[in-house]
């Protein structure tokens, strides 16, 4: 029921016959935005998003969604869908490389980027947060969901939004959980560092990483947890129904840590004692651990009633039986063949030219 404006900058050398990489830029300050403004590639800096993005994004189709405090990618369930839907709409008339769609954002926008990483990662190749508060505000923060992707955390040690000690802690925690998490901690700079001249050369590192970042839609192993089956899909597996009355498996945990001190926004040399847990887990959730070996797919479930698996010629050999094992028991073993109706309806829905499920 709501129209959401977004701006698109198409490269001067765009050729509709050639697939172009795309980048979605999420601005900050959504908690304070009451109306729609101008994107960051206009003169000046929009909502503290870095003005240097156009300097490095020349070959990218660059997308700037507009968020407000009532509908955005961070704090509103109704707004979270907007970025995915914008990407799908653009795919219908621009030739976008499905394996090179990147998310980048600053402040509240960076928190949005992180939220897509752990809540809805399938469309995207890389996740880049500048001055991030890595926390989901519209559900649980299931950090392990990021195992199939990577997160580039561009941080500063004078940031009121997230203290430097917490930056180091989540870096260690994420990597210990198997998440490819890279932290670039820039010392001596405040929250709005990406807009300062000193950030230009350092931001080149982000775009160097981005230039080599490709989506892998067929990971060998997937961990995915959700408290909302609307966002239950990670690449080839989807949680379709939860069973939160059953006992959790021992491997379904709630990683967390405490943050005691935050920097004063008015004086970065002062600390404020404000104890808080890094993550919230407001709802019961279910999780799957899935891996594939040839035509054998092994799934462990915890508080999950049902799930679905999508297959591709890139994953299995259709001349052999497909075998599915759930919690150690073989539950499916059949010769199958591609379903034309499913292929067409799924393509119409997702417009993914690189992955035909």
């Amino acid at each position: 029921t709501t129209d959401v404006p977004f701006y698109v900058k198409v490269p001067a050398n765009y050729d509709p016959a050639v697939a172009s990489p795309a980048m979605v830029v999420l601005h900050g300050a959504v908690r304070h935005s009451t109306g729609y403004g101008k994107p960051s590639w206009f003169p000046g800096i929009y909502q503290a998003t870095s003005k240097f993005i156009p300097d490095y994004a020349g070959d990218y189709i660059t997308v700037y969604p507009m968020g407000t405090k009532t509908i955005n990618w961070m704090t509103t369930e109704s707004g979270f869908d907007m970025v995915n839907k914008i990407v799908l709409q653009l795919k219908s008339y621009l030739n976008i490389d499905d394996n090179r769609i990147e998310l980048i954002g600053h402040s509240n926008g960076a928190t949005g980027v992180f939220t897509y990483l752990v809540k809805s990662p399938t469309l995207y190749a890389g996740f880049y947060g500048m001055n991030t508060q890595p926390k989901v505000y519209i559900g649980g923060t299931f950090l392990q969901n990021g195992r199939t992707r990577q997160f580039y955390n561009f941080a500063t040690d004078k940031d009121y939004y997230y203290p430097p000690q917490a930056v180091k802690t989540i870096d260690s925690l994420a990597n210990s959980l198997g998440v490819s998490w890279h932290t670039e901690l820039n010392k001596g700079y405040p929250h709005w560092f990406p807009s300062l001249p000193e950030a230009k050369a350092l931001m080149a590192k982000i775009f160097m990483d981005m230039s080599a970042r490709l989506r892998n839609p067929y990971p060998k192993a997937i961990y995915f947890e959700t408290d909302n089956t609307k966002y239950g899909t990670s690449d080839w597996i989807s949680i379709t129904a939860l069973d939160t009355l059953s006992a959790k498996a021992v491997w379904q945990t709630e990683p967390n840590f405490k943050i005691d001190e935050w920097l004063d926004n008015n004086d970065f040399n002062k600390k404020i004692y404000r104890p808080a847990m890094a993550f919230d887990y407001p709802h019961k959730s279910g999780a799957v651990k899935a891996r594939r070996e040839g035509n054998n797919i092994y799934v462990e479930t915890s508080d999950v009633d049902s799930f679905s698996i999508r297959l591709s010629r890139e994953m299995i050999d259709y001349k052999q039986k497909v075998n599915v094992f759930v919690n150690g028991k073989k539950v499916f073993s059949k010769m199958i063949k591609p379903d034309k109706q499913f292929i067409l309806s799924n393509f119409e829905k997702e417009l993914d030219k690189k992955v035909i499920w």
Side-chain angles (χ1 to χ4, degrees):
T1 60
T2 302
D3 289 330
V4 178
F6 60 95
Y7 295 79
V8 182
K9 189 173 185 181
V10 179
N13 62 350
Y14 172 72
D15 181 352
V18 179
S20 296
M23 178 193 313
V24 184
V25 183
L26 303 183
H27 66 73
V30 296
R31 285 173 162 165
H32 309 291
S33 299
T34 57
Y36 296 112
K38 295 180 179 179
S40 59
W41 48 269
F42 279 11
I45 302 166
Y46 176 68
Q47 299 287 26
T49 304
S50 176
K51 63 184 178 182
F52 302 118
I53 288 176
D55 293 338
Y56 296 107
D59 293 331
Y60 288 83
I61 296 170
T62 316
V63 187
Y64 296 83
M66 302 288 103
T68 70
K69 65 180 180 180
T70 56
I71 181 165
N72 64 71
W73 39 78
M74 173 179 160
T75 62
T76 65
E77 185 68 51
S78 61
F80 185 71
D81 249 1
M82 76 162 75
V83 174
N84 292 345
K85 288 185 175 180
I86 287 170
V87 169
L88 291 177
Q89 183 176 342
L90 288 174
K91 281 186 177 187
S92 69
Y93 60 91
L94 289 173
N95 192 354
I96 291 175
D97 186 337
D98 301 283
N99 284 339
R100 292 193 63 197
I101 303 174
E102 319 288 348
L103 277 177
I104 186 170
H106 175 259
S107 190
N108 288 174
T111 299
V113 170
F114 172 80
T115 305
Y116 285 99
L117 169 72
V118 299
K119 200 174 178 73
S120 185
T122 302
L123 283 173
Y124 308 104
F127 299 77
Y128 301 85
M130 300 181 291
N131 297 89
T132 314
Q133 187 177 108
K135 176 180 178 179
V136 174
Y137 281 84
I138 48 175
T141 305
F142 307 117
L143 186 57
Q144 295 177 82
N145 288 1
R147 288 179 181 176
T148 59
R149 297 297 191 271
Q150 60 85 44
F151 190 80
Y152 194 113
N153 190 23
F154 186 84
T156 58
D157 67 342
K158 300 294 183 183
D159 188 1
Y160 74 91
Y161 193 52
Y162 210 63
Q165 187 54 51
V167 170
K168 296 176 182 177
T169 301
I170 194 169
D171 180 276
S172 176
L173 176 62
N175 281 288
S176 72
L177 294 172
V179 179
S180 179
W181 187 282
H182 173 75
T183 295
E184 187 79 30
L185 184 58
N186 303 285
K187 296 184 178 181
Y189 296 102
H191 181 67
W192 50 89
F193 176 52
S195 67
L196 299 179
E198 295 88 341
K200 183 175 182 179
L202 291 170
M203 283 190 63
K205 293 183 178 181
I206 289 179
F207 287 87
M208 186 176 296
D209 182 274
M210 195 180 293
S211 67
R213 186 65 55 185
L214 294 174
R215 177 185 64 158
N216 173 20
Y218 315 111
K220 291 284 188 180
I222 297 175
Y223 177 99
F224 202 74
E225 183 172 356
T226 188
D227 52 20
N228 181 352
T229 54
K230 180 180 179 181
Y231 305 107
T233 298
S234 181
D235 294 315
W236 49 266
I237 194 163
S238 298
I239 297 172
T240 53
L242 299 175
D243 178 15
T244 55
L245 295 180
S246 62
K248 280 186 178 183
V250 293
W251 49 262
Q252 186 188 353
T253 61
E254 296 183 350
N256 216 335
F257 61 95
K258 192 176 181 181
I259 305 173
D260 289 319
E261 294 181 334
W262 304 73
L263 299 185
D264 189 331
N265 187 28
N266 298 311
D267 185 347
F268 306 134
N269 294 313
K270 291 183 179 179
K271 294 180 179 180
I272 298 173
Y273 182 72
R274 191 174 75 238
M277 298 306 296
F279 311 135
D280 296 329
Y281 296 95
H283 313 296
K284 291 185 176 181
S285 61
V288 294
K289 290 198 301 182
R291 60 184 175 89
R292 58 184 186 86
E293 297 177 6
N295 274 32
N296 297 325
I297 298 173
Y298 303 88
V299 182
E300 295 180 61
T301 66
S302 177
D303 282 5
V304 167
D305 185 62
S306 63
F307 63 89
S308 65
I309 297 170
R310 302 191 293 184
L311 299 176
S312 164
R313 293 185 185 277
E314 302 296 324
M315 295 170 59
I316 66 161
D317 178 2
Y318 281 106
K319 297 178 182 179
Q320 306 292 330
K321 285 184 177 180
V322 173
N323 305 299
V324 180
F325 301 80
V326 179
N327 297 323
K329 180 181 178 181
K330 182 185 283 188
V331 298
F332 184 91
S333 181
K334 292 181 181 179
M335 295 281 291
I336 64 173
K337 60 182 180 180
D339 184 301
K340 182 178 179 180
Q341 183 177 353
F342 175 82
I343 290 171
L344 293 176
S345 63
N346 190 77
F347 177 77
E348 184 178 20
K349 177 183 175 183
E350 300 188 359
L351 299 176
D352 196 321
K353 298 179 290 295
K354 292 290 177 70
V355 181
I356 305 299
W357 295 114

